[in-house]
Amino acid sequence: MTSQPPPPPQPGAHAVPTCYRHPERETYVRCQRCARPICPDCMREAAVGHQCPECVQEGNREVRQARTTFGGAVVAAPRVTWALLALNVLAYAAEVVNQNEVIQRFAMYSLGVHLGEWWRLITGAFLHSPPPSFWHILFNMWALYVIGPELERRLGSTRFAALYLLSALGGSVAIYLFGTVAVGASGAIYGLFGALFVVSRKLGYDARGVLWLIGINVVLTFVVPGISWQGHLGGLLTGTLVAAGFAYAPRGNRVLVQVGVAAVVLVALVLLVTALPPYGYPPVGIRT
């Protein structure tokens, strides 16, 4: 038994509408925005009816994205803070496995940097006093855990990452110029202390508690033996300058000014290392 093909449409008959993205599929649903026919696979829920994928994407581009007080993208979870915590803990685990190798190759060492081992300027800021000393990494990671999420949510993840790394670099450059050997994230942590003060002042909060925190830690820097004052003060100064540039950038061209401040600080730190020799004395300790 054979079947006959359907007769051709009569003149004047209406064609069956098909999805504009899948012409083989019949549909009687149209996009509420552009009125093109769409099949169930192309339907996207809208406030009223459905929209096609292209109209949804266009609408998303037109929606103004929420920003933080200082221009960064809104942070739902402080992922940069957690990543920095993880990197520090992993570096400490590497010290536990092979202490001598890790310290010798990656600690901040002024003469090594002067001879071309530039990576020490950053890697040294992720190391800490090796076992059996644990208070060093515990204090720094506790401070990062307490301060980091608040600053990251205020500044945005990208700006917070730049603040942390530039503060760490600033501490290492100060060690290069006036110290000798050191390890520790304290340069970056002190940079966060300075940034917390700047942000608090900018937002109109009472910053006296932050000043007490900074003052006590600065005193401890010079009272407790074996601590690198160069790394602490270098990180504090750098973090304060970077945070001031981020917080007080004019709204009209905020991003340009913020990027410019970070770039100027980075270039200045690099020039200090390339143009000046280390002036430090023989090593007296390795903690920062």
Side-chain angles (χ1 to χ4, degrees):
M1 182 175 180
T2 61
S3 60
Q4 298 294 325
Q10 298 297 320
H14 294 288
V16 175
T18 60
C19 176
Y20 82 98
R21 299 177 77 228
H22 304 96
E24 72 281 1
R25 300 180 186 179
E26 296 182 7
T27 182
Y28 291 90
V29 177
R30 293 182 178 274
C31 172
Q32 292 294 316
R33 188 165 182 170
C34 66
R36 291 180 292 187
I38 49 177
C39 68
D41 288 343
C42 297
M43 295 178 188
R44 303 292 185 267
E45 290 286 346
V48 177
H50 297 84
Q51 292 184 6
C52 64
E54 282 78 2
C55 286
V56 171
Q57 293 176 1
E58 183 179 351
N60 289 337
R61 286 194 295 268
E62 294 175 356
V63 175
R64 184 177 181 180
Q65 299 298 317
R67 313 297 293 182
T68 67
T69 306
F70 303 110
V74 172
V75 176
R79 293 186 176 87
V80 171
T81 299
W82 307 145
L84 292 170
L85 277 165
L87 286 173
N88 279 277
V89 172
L90 289 174
Y92 197 75
E95 291 182 58
V96 173
V97 173
N98 195 340
Q99 174 180 321
N100 292 334
E101 179 71 13
V102 172
I103 294 296
Q104 289 177 6
R105 292 187 60 185
F106 299 106
M108 176 55 208
Y109 176 41
S110 297
L111 183 59
V113 173
H114 188 60
L115 296 176
E117 297 174 348
W118 285 63
W119 62 85
R120 293 179 182 272
L121 292 165
I122 293 297
T123 57
F126 287 91
L127 302 178
H128 289 84
S129 295
S133 174
F134 296 102
W135 71 265
H136 190 206
I137 186 173
L138 288 176
F139 173 79
N140 282 339
M141 294 305 98
W142 172 81
L144 178 57
Y145 174 80
V146 172
I147 300 174
E150 176 66 17
L151 281 174
E152 185 172 352
R153 290 189 175 97
R154 294 291 183 183
L155 297 173
S157 294
T158 302
R159 290 164 178 78
F160 175 74
L163 169 69
Y164 186 94
L165 294 175
L166 286 172
S167 299
L169 181 60
S172 294
V173 170
I175 296 169
Y176 168 81
L177 292 174
F178 308 112
T180 49
V181 181
V183 292
S186 296
I189 298 301
Y190 272 62
L192 299 188
F193 289 163
L196 186 61
F197 173 76
V198 171
V199 169
S200 298
R201 293 280 297 180
K202 175 62 177 177
L203 296 178
Y205 299 154
D206 188 349
R208 286 177 293 181
V210 183
L211 279 178
W212 274 104
L213 175 67
I214 295 173
I216 291 172
N217 279 277
V218 169
V219 170
L220 291 176
T221 296
F222 292 97
V223 171
V224 178
I227 291 182
S228 171
W229 62 266
Q230 301 93 340
H232 286 194
L233 299 187
L236 177 63
L237 176 61
T238 304
T240 302
L241 288 175
V242 173
F246 288 170
Y248 289 93
R251 185 179 296 272
N253 51 357
R254 174 185 286 161
V255 175
L256 180 63
V257 172
Q258 290 172 337
V259 172
V261 168
V264 168
V265 171
L266 176 61
V267 171
L269 293 174
V270 172
L271 289 177
L272 285 173
V273 175
T274 55
L276 299 175
Y279 298 107
Y281 294 98
V284 294
I286 62 169
R287 287 204 309 272
T288 68

